[in-house]
Amino acid sequence: MKRKTTFVCQQCGAAYAKWIGQCTNCQAWNALVEQEVESEMDKKTTLEKGRLSGKKLDYVKLSSIMPSDAKARLITEFVDLNNVLGGGILLGSVSLLAGQPGIGKSTLLMQICAEVAKNRKVLYISGEESAGQVKLRAVRLGAASDNLSFAASTSGNNIAKTIETGEFDLVIVDSIQTLAMDEISSAPGTVSQVTNCGNLIIRAAKKTDTAVVIVGHVTKEGTLAGPKVLEHLVDVVLNFEGDRYGGFKTVRAIKNRFGSTNEVAIFEMVEKGLREVKNPSAALLAERTNTDGSIILATLEGNRPILVEIQALATASNYGYPKRTASGFDLNRLNLLIAVLERRTKLKLSDKDIFVNVVGGMKLSDSAADLAVCMAIASAVAGRKLGEEYVVFGEVGLGGEIRSAFRADQRIAEAKKLGFKHAIGPVTIKDKFVVPVKDLRETLIRYVK
Ligand code: TYD
Ligand code: MG
């Protein structure tokens, strides 16, 4: 006898008699799966069976468990990167290094390999480059050690098997998008390949306490399915961001099971690979000429205070629709700030193209950048520059009010260190260094008009 079936949406659980393309309950596409209908009688017996088949868990006292980060950590040559990782790469942990193609993932990992291979066994597996190419890079980076091995492979099965031998302390898998598992027919880079290869590798790593770093490419929008799925599986997710062509690049942990996610490492690419930037503020301000449209922002990258220059340019718009462009700053936020400027300060911007640039390839995610962006735009439009002695920080509300910024003391300390005399900032900050401002209109009249 044929059992009765229904189609159940895997997103929301709604049940249908027939298959349909889109769930009418939650609008999810292609989420219906055929399932056998259980009668009330069946349900009862299933539950009863489940109840009887369960066994009592073997629990232990929390105090008797060894914390998982008590294991050894592999220290890289990069001090800040070690901090980002929570003190180095933990043995038995699986990390994902995600970033755009060409940003320097392979370079960074080869440098890490070089350092770790001084006293540990390391394997670099590449599915993208030939042995010759990798050797070329290794030579260039001065990575030559008998402890460092190389394999070219795109087989998830073979890689997991190799990790499972436990021969290596650190294994690099470059990149997850090239891997495939024999048992799955879909192409490399698809969600099922990425998830399953990832799982296979993670299991092998945990079994043998091998530290594994997996490379994941993301597109400019960060949308590629692969790494997003992987993020849930791995212990640590490192984001490698910045400009591909020169400028600073940052590595930060957006997930870390063994450390904080507040640290950041800042790199620049030189002939001999990546180098940590020790004093980013000084480097960022070195080439500055104080013109109109240029404002120094005291911002935070993770826990680190940094001074960056915000530049704005305003030109007459040639089309009916004014153009707004932002580099290193969120475009939606820029549009919002322009609207606030127009409405609250009577500055006329609807006939101007506006370009905003964060110098040095930094990507700002700090809400206290608002005031500096607004002042840069106003300064560009008015053709008036702000005095050399000021740095700026503060969030701008929709009413044009200046709102407080967190960790003001760190921002102030950094500004003092680099020789600035004053900060223009929110009134909530009680510090002699800060000239307090309450709203945007008043600020612009006082400082750029
Ligand atoms: P790469 O690490 O291959 O990027 P990814 O693995 O993220 O795709 O390298 C990125 C760029 O860095 C590459 O275009 C060349 C440049 N580069 C240097 O400038 N100096 C160096 O020493 C190395 C190894 C690379
Ligand atoms: Mg690469």
Side-chain angles (χ1 to χ4, degrees), residues 106 128-129 174:
S106 306
E128 303 192 334
E129 293 164 306
D174 188 359

Side-chain angles (χ1 to χ4, degrees), residues 310-322:
I310 309 270
Q311 292 182 323
L313 195 65
T315 55
S317 188
N318 285 322
Y319 307 97
Y321 190 78

Side-chain angles (χ1 to χ4, degrees), residues 54-210:
K55 288 195 189 68
K56 189 171 145 275
L57 293 174
D58 296 327
Y59 46 78
V60 292
K61 291 209 165 61
L62 203 53
S63 56
S64 69
I65 303 175
M66 256 252 296
S68 64
D69 70 350
K71 287 180 203 139
R73 288 192 186 253
L74 308 175
I75 311 293
T76 75
E77 68 178 291
F78 305 112
V79 180
D80 297 331
L81 184 66
N82 290 335
N83 285 338
V84 170
L85 288 161
I89 307 171
L90 197 71
L91 282 182
S93 73
V94 179
S95 316
L96 174 69
L97 178 65
Q100 285 182 44
I103 185 121
K105 299 181 293 297
S106 306
T107 307
L108 180 66
L109 291 175
M110 183 53 79
Q111 286 177 275
I112 292 174
C113 285
E115 179 70 20
V116 173
K118 281 180 184 161
N119 45 32
R120 299 247 186 195
K121 288 237 176 290
V122 180
L123 175 62
Y124 194 108
I125 304 171
S126 181
E128 303 192 334
E129 293 164 306
S130 67
Q133 280 173 296
V134 173
K135 171 76 188 189
L136 207 65
R137 183 186 290 118
V139 168
R140 190 162 167 186
L141 300 172
S145 160
D146 279 344
N147 280 338
L148 180 52
S149 309
F150 172 79
S153 172
T154 56
S155 157
N157 308 61
N158 296 352
I159 291 173
K161 194 86 203 164
T162 311
I163 295 172
E164 230 180 84
T165 61
E167 275 177 47
F168 299 97
D169 295 306
L170 174 64
V171 176
I172 308 293
V173 181
D174 188 359
S175 68
I176 189 78
Q177 270 89 8
T178 59
L179 300 194
M181 230 172 105
D182 301 339
E183 291 73 16
I184 297 166
S185 57
S186 58
T190 52
V191 176
S192 65
Q193 286 289 14
V194 167
T195 320
N196 286 294
C197 289
N199 266 319
L200 214 56
I201 290 170
I202 290 167
R203 259 187 230 175
K206 300 282 165 196
K207 204 166 150 194
T208 52
D209 260 347
T210 310

Side-chain angles (χ1 to χ4, degrees), residues 243-285:
D243 206 343
R244 268 198 276 175
Y245 316 100
F248 288 170
K249 304 162 205 293
T250 57
V251 176
R252 70 175 83 228
I254 55 167
K255 166 180 175 180
N256 191 351
R257 288 187 179 149
F258 318 110
S260 105
T261 51
N262 283 329
E263 305 290 338
V264 61
I266 301 172
F267 291 97
E268 65 182 333
M269 185 69 88
V270 294
E271 308 85 68
K272 283 204 177 297
L274 290 155
R275 192 172 64 194
E276 270 187 337
V277 182
K278 284 296 155 207
N279 192 347
S281 301
L284 283 168
L285 300 183

Side-chain angles (χ1 to χ4, degrees), residues 17-36:
K18 278 202 187 123
W19 190 88
I20 44 171
Q22 186 184 21
C23 173
T24 50
N25 185 47
C26 71
Q27 272 72 45
W29 284 97
N30 215 1
L32 265 53
V33 170
E34 189 170 11
Q35 288 179 359
E36 268 185 21

